[in-house]
Amino acid sequence: MKKKIVVLTGAGMSVESGLKTFRDADGLWEEYPVAKVATHEGWEADPTLVTNFYNMLRGKCLNVKPNEGHRLVARLEEKYDVTVVTQNVDNLHEAAGSTHVVHLHGELMKVCSSRDVDNPHYIQQLGPDNYIVEPGTKAGDGSLLRPYIVFFGEAVPNITIAAEEVQEADILIIIGTSLAVYPAAGLIHYARPGIPVYLIDPNPVSAGSGVKQIMKGASEGMKELFETLNA
């Protein structure tokens, strides 16, 4: 039976692909206040602004490609049973070939009902030819279509699934996250005692004892770890 790897990824995973993080000095929150574009209150106040913001993000996402880090995570499936748990809303893990991806904070290339967000009947997949959502467009239940994104202050519906995956892991890999955003940051505590935990990030991260940090970016760090795991 293949060993199970769970890979937890954050914004740093996609930086090398050209996607800005939200929290860095030149991040998106510098340009677009979070309260206006990523909260329920912001959506209620100005759904047109929010709709256009995510149209813009989709356009950016469609113009980038997976980096070597994404590709090496996908290649782990050659020898391991791999689940990716990502805080990112892009689809770069899927584009790189990862087949089991749990999105904690939603998916940028999907829209949903604003009345019944997680109802699968009203979730729509968007693509390169229809990624622009006109403000005022309705979902199947008659409510406005909204981004399929977990806004700040909303529950994270997949956190229980993610915690169960981490509990079953034989190896935990954390890439490009400061472990500062909850509830995702708490997932490390679900790892079974004694399993190898690797953290790839160029900046120092306080992750507790027993965590081996590789202080490199996603691609270079994954190259090093890939060789270690396949030695």
Side-chain angles (χ1 to χ4, degrees), residues 106-143:
E107 297 179 63
L108 184 59
M109 296 306 295
K110 292 181 178 179
V111 286
C112 61
S113 159
S114 53
R115 182 183 301 136
D116 194 3
V117 174
D118 292 307
N119 189 324
H121 295 294
Y122 306 125
I123 296 173
Q124 300 178 30
Q125 177 75 50
L126 304 178
D129 298 326
N130 69 335
Y131 73 91
I132 296 290
V133 177
E134 292 297 329
T137 304
K138 301 287 183 67
D141 63 354
S143 69

Side-chain angles (χ1 to χ4, degrees), residues 34-94:
V34 59
K36 290 187 176 181
V37 297
T39 65
H40 182 74
E41 292 77 15
W43 166 258
E44 291 285 336
D46 195 344
T48 296
L49 174 68
V50 176
T51 297
N52 286 331
F53 173 74
Y54 288 95
N55 284 339
M56 177 272 292
L57 287 188
R58 286 186 209 103
K60 289 181 180 294
C61 193
L62 288 169
N63 286 317
V64 299
K65 298 184 182 303
N67 60 55
E68 186 66 7
H70 291 108
R71 290 190 287 270
L72 287 171
V73 167
R75 282 191 58 197
L76 288 173
E77 295 188 17
E78 295 169 4
K79 290 190 175 181
Y80 296 92
D81 172 13
V82 182
T83 296
V84 177
V85 176
T86 186
Q87 298 174 74
N88 300 334
V89 296
D90 60 59
N91 60 356
L92 293 176
H93 280 297
E94 290 92 339

